[in-house]
Amino acid sequence: MTLSLITSMSLFALAASLSPGPVNLLSLSGSARYGAKVGLRFVSGASTGFIFLFLMIGLGLQHIISALPWLTLVLQWLGIAFLFYLSYQLFMDNGDLNADSSSSAPTFMTGAIMQWLNPKAWLASVSGIAAYIPEATTDQVLLFASLYLPICWLSLGVWVGIGILLGQYFQSPAKMRAMNKTLAILLAGSCVMILV
């Protein structure tokens, strides 16, 4: 692989990871409410889940998807339903800042599973592989994934940082509710944009 191709793949990974999406919004919300530790745990799960999805698609899942086009539609609708559920949960959150509420904090597994139900993650994986390594040899997929993993984690970490900064401002339940409702509407809006 050439340096220009590696650079292009890295820029694609950066744009796909840093751009707003469901995982980014939950990274922001979780870290604003529960702090850096919870935010980074969620981001680590989301990055791991995404790379696992990316590897599965790159190592053969795209052939199954090509053979069974209805599977893409089913996965898209399941993902959208899950994202609407998360939007509802975020919208209905009471904004309570007590430490006892950490049981509802986003976890590593929430992040990992969310990527498998995130239409943006599927699109980023399929389109990235199709655009940059259409033949998708094992070595190429592993190299692309090894570039993507730190870029994804650091990009989502930016959203955690923004959430921590916002969390310093939203130190009352009323302000936290307002932020959560705004983020819930944005998350639901991202689902609508997927459908359009």
Side-chain angles (χ1 to χ4, degrees):
M1 255 187 228
T2 65
L3 181 58
S4 63
L5 181 59
I6 291 171
T7 303
S8 295
M9 290 189 302
S10 298
L11 291 173
F12 172 83
L14 180 65
S17 301
L18 197 54
S19 62
V23 172
N24 308 74
L25 293 174
L26 286 181
S27 297
L28 188 146
S29 173
S31 59
R33 182 166 183 185
Y34 300 106
K37 185 176 178 182
V38 168
L40 292 175
R41 186 179 310 133
F42 174 77
V43 162
S44 296
S47 299
T48 303
F50 175 78
I51 292 303
F52 187 62
L53 172 67
F54 186 86
L55 289 170
M56 297 306 298
I57 289 173
L59 298 175
L61 191 57
Q62 81 265 21
H63 300 299
I64 295 171
I65 292 171
S66 297
L68 303 170
W70 58 268
L71 184 60
T72 302
L73 190 61
V74 168
L75 290 170
Q76 181 181 23
W77 282 104
L78 284 173
I80 288 170
F82 179 69
L83 294 175
F84 273 126
Y85 168 76
L86 289 175
S87 298
Y88 173 77
Q89 292 295 318
L90 193 56
F91 192 84
M92 299 307 292
D93 185 78
N94 66 8
D96 186 14
L97 299 171
N98 291 336
D100 295 341
S101 65
S102 65
S103 62
S104 62
T107 64
F108 179 94
M109 284 308 294
T110 305
I113 292 168
M114 188 174 175
Q115 290 290 37
W116 278 78
L117 297 173
N118 180 0
K120 180 186 169 193
W122 283 83
L123 180 62
S125 296
V126 172
S127 63
I129 289 166
Y132 295 101
I133 50 172
E135 301 304 316
T137 66
T138 301
D139 290 344
Q140 291 173 327
V141 172
L142 291 175
L143 176 63
F144 202 170
S146 69
L147 293 169
Y148 224 131
L149 179 60
I151 291 170
C152 180
W153 192 88
L154 290 169
S155 296
L156 293 175
V158 167
W159 288 87
V160 169
I162 294 168
I164 291 167
L165 290 173
L166 287 175
Q168 293 172 1
Y169 172 74
F170 293 97
Q171 287 298 309
S172 72
K175 288 180 179 178
M176 189 60 71
R177 275 192 304 276
M179 184 186 76
N180 285 343
K181 289 186 185 318
T182 301
L183 291 173
I185 291 167
L186 290 172
L187 183 58
S190 73
C191 295
V192 172
M193 295 304 292
I194 292 168
L195 294 172
V196 175

